[in-house]
Amino acid sequence: MGGPRCSRILLLIGVVPLGGCLSRSRPVALRMSTAAVQTATSSDLIERINAEATEIQTLKATVGITVSVGGSKLGKITEYQEIRGYILARKPSALRMIGFFPILQSHVFDMVSSGQEFKLWIPSKNQFIVGDNEEGRPSIEPLGNLRPQVIYDALLLQAVDLQNELAVLEASEHEVIDHRTQKATLQPDYSLNIIKQNGRESYLSRKVVFDRTDLRPHQQLLYDEHGSIVTDVRYDEYREFNGVLFPTNIQIWRPQEEYSIKLVLGKLTINGPIVDDQFVLDIPTGAGLASR
């Protein structure tokens, strides 16, 4: 019987009964969402970001503020009680945030910035801190880690600079809870990867992730020049204010300093009048001065 051919037939006859079947099935860990999704190009998403950046010039809001400190580096996470407060923001770079004790309505902190330098007043410690808006030494005290620029960048999406930045579109998905089944599912999204060109060097500056059910940003990742994530912002619960859709639940995570800030916006006024005096914070008499 034809030697090699016979051997192949005998091998096939011998293998099939051992397995009973040449395939097997296993459940999929996460199913894709069945929600209707929209399509967009990179130009469409750039236009959305830049339109919002142009449309919103000032912002005034009442806000609930929750801070937590810690993670794998500290070996623990400490969550602090929510406080109430106000936020004022005005382009191009001014921000003021004031926090109050829930019942006494006395100041927990008062923070202001109109550029590179920020000022932070903590009455309970009789301490007035002056420092750089973006960089600083991490502190185990939750208020010591507050930076106006971090809050400002989370609240107001920066326009894509088409002269100095390149935006690359990426289709992906993220995990959500299906409201009908209450189970985790995968929801399609778009990531707009914004690459900053600095002379001969280029690096990923930020990534804006759009939910494809409504094409609204639900996450923004900001990177340093070494490719590390410095800020991770999540956006949820959009509502309409003065004809503008704006997220009322904003969660900010700073992985390198290991602290997070949750902002729950209440009353919000967009493009209302804000004057220069509202960004003035003088050192109180007798307060201790520190730099950070």
Side-chain angles (χ1 to χ4, degrees), residues 2 20 27 30 39 54 73 115 117 191 199 217 244 249 271 274:
L30 287 177
T39 58
T54 301
K73 297 176 186 177
E117 185 181 70
S191 291
V244 178
N249 189 320
N271 294 332
I274 298 179

Side-chain angles (χ1 to χ4, degrees), residues 97-111:
M97 186 162 74
I98 305 171
F100 298 96
F101 286 109
I103 298 176
L104 300 177
Q105 290 297 300
S106 57
H107 282 51
V108 178
F109 69 88
D110 192 342
M111 178 177 67

Side-chain angles (χ1 to χ4, degrees), residues 99-285:
F100 298 96
F101 286 109
I103 298 176
L104 300 177
Q105 290 297 300
S106 57
H107 282 51
V108 178
F109 69 88
D110 192 342
M111 178 177 67
V112 67
S113 173
S114 295
Q116 279 296 112
E117 185 181 70
F118 80 93
K119 299 176 181 179
L120 173 62
W121 164 231
I122 307 176
S124 63
K125 296 182 178 296
N126 196 30
Q127 190 175 46
F128 195 85
I129 299 172
V130 178
D132 187 273
N133 225 342
E134 297 184 5
E135 303 297 332
R137 300 184 304 274
S139 171
I140 59 173
E141 296 292 334
L143 295 180
N145 287 310
L146 289 175
R147 290 291 181 278
Q149 192 64 43
V150 174
I151 306 297
Y152 183 94
D153 289 340
L155 285 172
L156 299 173
L157 285 179
Q158 183 180 348
V160 179
D161 182 356
L162 297 177
Q163 298 298 318
N164 299 298
E165 292 180 326
L166 174 68
V168 179
L169 184 64
E170 176 187 3
S172 184
E173 62 270 329
H174 63 281
E175 188 175 318
V176 298
I177 300 298
D178 189 298
H179 295 297
R180 183 175 57 86
T181 64
Q182 294 302 306
K183 293 182 179 180
T185 60
L186 290 177
Q187 177 70 55
D189 61 34
Y190 284 129
S191 291
L192 196 63
N193 302 305
I194 301 170
I195 300 169
K196 185 178 290 291
Q197 298 171 321
N198 186 10
R200 295 182 179 180
E201 299 294 327
S202 299
Y203 68 96
L204 179 61
S205 173
R206 56 193 169 115
K207 177 182 294 189
V208 183
V209 184
F210 294 81
D211 192 315
R212 286 186 59 185
T213 60
D214 53 21
L215 294 182
R216 296 174 193 156
H218 74 83
Q219 185 179 19
Q220 181 180 204
L221 298 164
L222 291 94
Y223 297 81
D224 63 18
E225 294 186 13
H226 306 291
S228 298
I229 297 173
V230 292
T231 307
D232 181 349
V233 190
R234 307 294 177 104
Y235 303 100
D236 201 2
E237 299 177 21
Y238 278 80
R239 289 167 50 196
E240 186 174 329
F241 300 91
N242 303 96
V244 178
L245 286 170
F246 200 86
T248 59
N249 189 320
I250 301 174
Q251 300 190 52
I252 305 167
W253 167 239
R254 295 277 289 180
Q256 296 182 23
E257 297 96 336
E258 289 196 322
Y259 77 87
S260 66
I261 303 172
K262 180 180 178 181
L263 304 175
V264 179
L265 278 62
K267 183 179 179 181
L268 174 63
T269 301
I270 292 176
N271 294 332
I274 298 179
V275 298
D276 291 344
D277 289 348
Q278 292 176 278
F279 298 103
V280 174
L281 180 61
D282 296 321
I283 182 171
T285 303

